[in-house]
Amino acid sequence: MKKIEAIIRHYKLEEVKNALTESGIQGMTVSEVRGFGRQHGHKETYRGAEYTVDFLPKVKLEVVVDDGDLQRAVDTITSHARTGQIGDGKIFVSSLDEVIRIRTGEQGGGAV
Amino acid sequence: MKKIEAIIRHYKLEEVKNALTESGIQGMTVSEVRGFGRQHGHKETYRGAEYTVDFLPKVKLEVVVDDGDLQRAVDTITSHARTGQIGDGKIFVSSLDEVIRIRTGEQGGGAV
Amino acid sequence: MKKIEAIIRHYKLEEVKNALTESGIQGMTVSEVRGFGRQHGHKETYRGAEYTVDFLPKVKLEVVVDDGDLQRAVDTITSHARTGQIGDGKIFVSSLDEVIRIRTGEQGGGAV
Amino acid sequence: MKTQFIVRWLLASTLLLVMSAVSFSQEAAEGTPVSPAGAPMPAPGIPIPGLTTDTSGPVVVAASEINSGDTAWMLVSSALVLMMTAPGLALFYGGLVRKKNILGVMMQCIILMGMMSTLWVVVGYSLAFDSSIAGGFVGGFKMVMLNGMNISGNGLTLIHKLTIPDLLFMVYQMMFFIITPGLICGAFAERMKFSAMVLFCALWGLLIYCPVAHWVWAGDGMFNHANQDAKFAALDFAGGTVVHLISGASALLCAIMLGKRLGFGQDPMPPHNLTYTFIGATMLWVGWFGFNAGSAGAANAQAVSAFVATHLAAATGTLTWAGIEWFKRGKPSILGACSGCVAGLVCVTPAAGYVTPTSGMILGIVAGVVCYFACTTIKSKFGYDDSLDAFGVHGVGGFAGALLTGIFASAEIAGEGKGGLIEGNSQQFVNQLVACGASLALAVVGTFIILKVVDALVGLRASQEDEIQGLDLSQHGEEGYIISY
Amino acid sequence: MKTQFIVRWLLASTLLLVMSAVSFSQEAAEGTPVSPAGAPMPAPGIPIPGLTTDTSGPVVVAASEINSGDTAWMLVSSALVLMMTAPGLALFYGGLVRKKNILGVMMQCIILMGMMSTLWVVVGYSLAFDSSIAGGFVGGFKMVMLNGMNISGNGLTLIHKLTIPDLLFMVYQMMFFIITPGLICGAFAERMKFSAMVLFCALWGLLIYCPVAHWVWAGDGMFNHANQDAKFAALDFAGGTVVHLISGASALLCAIMLGKRLGFGQDPMPPHNLTYTFIGATMLWVGWFGFNAGSAGAANAQAVSAFVATHLAAATGTLTWAGIEWFKRGKPSILGACSGCVAGLVCVTPAAGYVTPTSGMILGIVAGVVCYFACTTIKSKFGYDDSLDAFGVHGVGGFAGALLTGIFASAEIAGEGKGGLIEGNSQQFVNQLVACGASLALAVVGTFIILKVVDALVGLRASQEDEIQGLDLSQHGEEGYIISY
Amino acid sequence: MKTQFIVRWLLASTLLLVMSAVSFSQEAAEGTPVSPAGAPMPAPGIPIPGLTTDTSGPVVVAASEINSGDTAWMLVSSALVLMMTAPGLALFYGGLVRKKNILGVMMQCIILMGMMSTLWVVVGYSLAFDSSIAGGFVGGFKMVMLNGMNISGNGLTLIHKLTIPDLLFMVYQMMFFIITPGLICGAFAERMKFSAMVLFCALWGLLIYCPVAHWVWAGDGMFNHANQDAKFAALDFAGGTVVHLISGASALLCAIMLGKRLGFGQDPMPPHNLTYTFIGATMLWVGWFGFNAGSAGAANAQAVSAFVATHLAAATGTLTWAGIEWFKRGKPSILGACSGCVAGLVCVTPAAGYVTPTSGMILGIVAGVVCYFACTTIKSKFGYDDSLDAFGVHGVGGFAGALLTGIFASAEIAGEGKGGLIEGNSQQFVNQLVACGASLALAVVGTFIILKVVDALVGLRASQEDEIQGLDLSQHGEEGYIISY
Ligand SMILES: Nc1ncnc2c1ncn2[C@@H]1O[C@H](COP(=O)(O)OP(=O)(O)O)[C@@H](O)[C@H]1O
Ligand SMILES: Nc1ncnc2c1ncn2[C@@H]1O[C@H](COP(=O)(O)OP(=O)(O)O)[C@@H](O)[C@H]1O
Ligand SMILES: Nc1ncnc2c1ncn2[C@@H]1O[C@H](COP(=O)(O)OP(=O)(O)O)[C@@H](O)[C@H]1O
């Protein structure tokens, strides 16, 4: 099984989620993160004290899939999260040793 | 060394934490996430505009353990986070290349 | 490619970020977490009801780097996040199967 | 679901309708002539003053014309007391619950603002301030739907000996009818069903608040100091007994009968937003000037006295509670300071307008000590789950205040014949005890019965699942803070 | 950027300067002698009372000296109405937008507090309350910069028949001039450029609010009930037409002409902080006593009547909206309760001071029903994006209120000749319709033109990128909540 | 810990006790007969009016009976000024600190409400308003514990020439005594130890505020314009010098002597919740009507003048600061708008009640410009860490206001003999300068000594560890927002 971590823009989350669901992915977990990259931050000024906010709010999407579903999931995310502007984000793929569904204790592919 | 990531219900965190501590696990990291899965979200209505909240608040627990402690830790989490209702969550296990304790620079098992 | 996850203190983030940037790391993602470890929590009392807050606020820093940059990145983080006091945090290193830049679709080292 | 809802709604409505029906028939049968000025008292000429002003007080007002200054102050006071319920109390209580129940608390407050106001006009005001029926147990039904009242707002009756329109007196008292059940909500927060809370508060207001208000404040009330026929003439300037003691005692019973919150004692349940609690507490402080100084019914010297005593009790209450914490655990807390200020305000409520500034300061100190003790030692000893310490602060503070009024009342400020124990008037202290005892008895017995009835009708507690999910989502389908979009 | 800014600023300033210039020249040309007491009316002696008090009302005040009680109440009322704009409205609206636009809403409110106040002194007050020019379309320019007004605050003119200093009347009315455009902001929230909003509100205030206020409230206003020459003498106690109807109608046009928010209908756009919406709503409730009861211009019986009717309409509005939800979807919501209370308050605004407590309750119920319907069924049917329901609540509620005033006005409370349909005065209902129609016509046509002009000058909508980023960062370079340090 | 605490507490208490003891012995020794009406002035008959009303003003009030309208307004004003400290200032300042210090700010405010109120009754009021001792340096001790005051609230002394009970004047002034040290907290926010802050504020209030208040407002105060023997009769309507200038100057010294916050200049320290800052600022705006218009001591024409000037200065201050930002960095900010409104309010404080509406607008503009400059250019040039710009806004704004009062005061509004430079009275400008200079000198020297003493007793700064953890947890053991349960 593979874990896909995708850092995407907030306002793309709904679209990506729907696309993944349609493509048959049944579970995912998201969290709020702040990202730093090629996309420039912005300046904020508070009573003359100016400083740069380098970290921009992003959403991290974690999807665990069977190896066979990997490519489809990655493609779905890539195509729906893309705007073509700097700051679209990254996808990281890694391998999992095991997946367990807490409710049933099921392991492996069936647990995804 | 193994990394255990468990997505569990908020109100189970205290119980799971205590159980892990009793079983000798000394460290863990938690974060707030929102999960999407078999458990249905709920509908919210704001002045007639109804929409579905698919993502439900969950807690993500990350525990890094020596390979030998893996099974015990997974079992502890599974048994204490379980309610038997849909939405109990998932456990993902992966392998780590290295662990470093920042304070001392220690590496490997001793750093956990 | 390697993924570095570092749990550090809030007030060290700015310093670590600057050090990483200077050492040529161009991207990273941070999130708010709460940590439990050797560092003791504190007691809070609300109208006589005292309880222990075990989980302390920490920052999780995720940096994906080419294998060759790993050591430098780890060293940079270690040296700048260290205070020598319990609670400095941990660094976890794992391997990634793939990295994709959403904007361009680039894969592998060039996508970092 | 819907049918269930309708059935229950009908049941509740019927109760109210019956009461109103009784009233009208009664009135028709008796054929009581209602005077055009709206004075519903049977024997005009006999002075039966209400509220807190009376002929023996230091300020004798000629009840013959509307005074614009007094009217201005009472308009403001009415607004201030409404502000106490919301945003005041809603924030004070709302900050103390867990995030998932914040809207539940706020909803309770705003629905009370809607419901109790309506009930007050329909029948509550009459039950509280009409002349006694049932042997003095409660007021009659002659003023149902403000019947007989000069609604143009222009009329002045002798009954209250005030220089403000009767309608203003009515609406000012309405604000008390709103906030009193609101205080009880602190005891059953985070677990009571919304429908149960609605029904409970409506019944509690009519069946417990109105009688006690009648006893203490109505012209012919049996504990009203201004009623010359009262055997046990008590002093309760702004509601130590009527508002705080009975709501606090009822709150304790609610906490016990509903049982503890799931996870109580194991899971941490810290206040989710102490900044709200602080904002709420300080708004209560400001609003309480309307509550206490407004209870003078005029912008006069007694209002000023009440204002000063109120402020000073809040001040010393704050210092006392925070000071005890500083001494006992090394750190004064903001929750302690806020609790202390409210405790001081509660305790001075019956006494404001009757005591000197120095006595006000003493009352605040006593309040800080006894309420701190009640909210920490006593609560943890008996183990009931009074979620937000409605009993510990209002019940205990209100009781202390009622007794202390009997001790510290000063004739110089309160008026002739209204001195307390320190001025040698031990009878006053006895009267305070009797009034408290009778009110407590009704509050406890009445609350017990109402809770049983409500439980039978709609069930008191939210389901386990609903409680875990939080009342915001389960009862109202909403979340307090949505910060992810 | 800067040059662009300057150019636009100059354009806008020019508009204003031209208007002022016109005024002075006009005045110079006419050489009208301004009486030392500051009374700008040409024909003293002829009773031309303004606002809502007049000789036929139940309270006849001798306009000969300043009354301290009335002054106290009007000082407080002015403060309360300012509090309605902020924190009240700012929180009510601010809680309903997404997190990234919260400061945008707050900025609109505080800038209106700055800008509209200034404009009112410069020219707005004159346009609204000076004697008519342009065939009664608007007031003249003789009081530009408070010219001719007794600025020591000591003077009393016969014009308003009030017992408070003219300066106090001026500043009380100023607060209405601030909040009215603020209400419109609910319609274009989350997408209008800040510069466009500034320009729009300035022009809207001067070109639409001032004329309508003149028609309804100025001594020689064509719809002023107190103006004996008015053919269609309308009743608008505190601004159902002047404030709510025209701002609501303009809001709808804004929503349509600006277009929908990006992602409207697809992305969820839930309120980011309903606790703020609740705090705001309850502050509006409290502040509205200044708005409505303050519109009596004195601390008199009519103020009390208005206070009571206002409170009761809010109460039943709350219950009605929440009740409909309870019935229709099984759960009453806090947003529903808050919306209902505001709807009730809006609807009772023109009627307060003219109706009985019972009528106040009825108005609240009607408001709850029609505004619920407008904000849910109608809005979703037509599909316009009135972000925060400025039209659904203020437009619809204001219109309903204006008509209901014509039905329920009671001569007993409002004064002779001011009864409504239920007292057989069908003409009053017609007059209400006419006044509403004329005001609506000006609001719609005027708003259309102003929007076109503003669009041409600075562009109405924030760029797509700015809208996605949120107005807080894109327009003001700040974030509302920064909790990571 | 506990013993340490007790030691320190004893030290502090001793200080206070000694002062009180001195007072009583002094009084006993002198045997001054205190008149029954509570007038503590030695020579009745000689007009020694206080505050801001005097015989030469435009409104001559007969000080013979309590006026209900004036009393109503002053009750409200007292409540409003308390509201300024909390929730007002607490939110304004609280929003500007980092999340981990929000409760620290709120705790400071509520403890000041408790402590300063108590101190005022015990000895502060006497120090400020009793007749001079020590060659006019400060008031005496004859009114310690309100000794000699008519506590029934019914008495009226000639001393203040007011138509409200003396007790009301006392409590109104108390509210100023609370907020003034509160303003200083902005300078040492996020790093001062709680115990140090408590001790500092108590000493500062008694040793600096009381003398300056005595000079400017006591009947025989050396700068009191109403004191015919005053050589440098200054105009300070509501506390430009007494409240803002001296708190601002002391704030600067605190900022410098405590040193910068850890990480200042490197780590970002943005406001954690600008929505709170906004709510606070707008509550300050509303509350300031009590502060300024209340300083008339009555609901009269001067109160109205003050109200209008205050509002307009806030309005133009808002526009000016936001406008400068718009011009200089392309975006007006909400923090800028809020800062500008407070700057305008500060600056108009000494002038309100003495100036025309137009002058009020000018004062707001000047305040916006100079305070903007002080908070940005000057602060960054000198590099001190005045965390929340207590000096930049209150010190600079208060100084500007004091001088501008000497320029713009208009005899038409302020009363005969109170015109400023523009009316040719250059002496007034000199007097303003002298009063400011003397007050500044005491503030700076006194603050320096007090800081040294407090440092020696308990230490000024929180430990490095405590500061990093945040004051909420380290000083109070609590967190502001807990959103994980
Ligand atoms: N090396 C990295 N490690 C971890 N996260 C990264 C890394 N590089 C980029 N990111 C994440 O991806 C986001 C987008 O990257 P950015 O460089 O701004 O745009 P793009 O991917 O279009 O070049 C960043 O905000 C950050 O959260
Ligand atoms: N494929 C997945 N990838 C990532 N997270 C998942 C995945 N499936 C489930 N989850 C997480 O686990 C939680 C529980 O899953 P759910 O399907 O609702 O219940 P259950 O595991 O009991 O069947 C989800 O809310 C989500 O956070
Ligand atoms: N086994 C672990 N698994 C996951 N996170 C851990 C683990 N041990 C420590 N951590 C994280 O590292 C942080 C610091 O650890 P702690 O034991 O307090 O200090 P130190 O690393 O200096 O001994 C913890 O707060 C927690 O977030």
Side-chain angles (χ1 to χ4, degrees), chain A residues 43-52, chain F residues 268 270-271 274 329 339 375-376 388-389:
Chain A
K43 289 215 187 311
E44 299 185 9
T45 323
Y46 295 98
R47 283 203 188 129
E50 193 172 87
Y51 65 92
T52 315
Chain F
L274 280 178
R329 62 171 199 132
S339 307
C375 293
T376 56
L388 317 179
D389 289 311

Side-chain angles (χ1 to χ4, degrees), chain A residues 2-4 25-30 61-66 99-104 106 111-112, chain B residues 7-9 33-40 54-59 84-92:
Chain A
K2 298 290 181 188
K3 179 164 104 166
I4 305 169
I25 306 283
Q26 301 209 3
M28 65 195 86
T29 302
V30 305
L61 187 71
E62 288 172 87
V63 194
V64 171
V65 291
D66 277 334
V99 175
I100 298 124
R101 163 170 292 130
I102 293 176
R103 172 165 51 92
T104 56
E106 274 169 282
V112 175
Chain B
I7 316 289
I8 63 173
R9 295 179 194 273
V33 299
R34 289 176 291 141
F36 176 84
R38 281 188 181 69
Q39 184 185 14
H40 284 117
D54 294 317
F55 290 110
L56 298 172
K58 302 272 173 192
V59 171
Q85 307 288 318
I86 285 182
D88 275 353
K90 299 269 156 75
I91 298 179
F92 307 132

Side-chain angles (χ1 to χ4, degrees), chain B residues 3 13-14 17 21 25-32 60 62 64 95-105 111-112, chain C residues 2 5 7-8 32-38 54-55 60 74 78 81-82 84-86 88-95:
Chain B
K3 178 163 106 166
L13 174 62
E14 200 72 12
K17 183 206 72 185
T21 316
I25 305 285
Q26 301 208 4
M28 67 195 85
T29 302
V30 306
S31 49
E32 305 286 321
K60 185 208 247 186
E62 289 173 87
V64 171
S95 299
L96 287 185
D97 297 356
E98 193 54 88
V99 175
I100 298 125
R101 164 169 291 131
I102 294 175
R103 171 166 50 94
T104 57
V112 176
Chain C
K2 298 291 181 187
E5 289 178 278
I7 317 289
I8 62 172
E32 304 287 320
V33 299
R34 289 176 292 140
F36 177 84
R38 279 185 183 72
D54 293 318
F55 290 110
K60 185 207 246 186
V74 168
T78 315
R82 184 180 291 166
Q85 308 288 318
I86 286 182
D88 275 351
K90 299 269 156 74
I91 298 178
F92 307 133
V93 179
S94 56
S95 300

Side-chain angles (χ1 to χ4, degrees), chain A residues 7 35-36 38-39 87-88 90, chain C residues 27-29 62 64 101 103:
Chain A
I7 317 288
F36 176 85
R38 279 185 183 71
Q39 184 185 15
D88 275 352
K90 298 271 156 73
Chain C
M28 66 194 87
T29 302
E62 289 174 86
V64 171
R101 163 169 292 130
R103 172 166 49 94

Side-chain angles (χ1 to χ4, degrees), chain E residues 121 145-147 151, chain F residues 308-309 312-313 316 355-365 408 413:
Chain E
V121 167
M145 284 306 294
L146 308 185
N147 189 24
I151 51 157
Chain F
V308 171
L312 291 175
T316 54
V355 299
T356 64
T358 311
S359 299
M361 292 168 70
I362 295 170
L363 261 71
I365 294 171
F408 286 100
I413 294 169

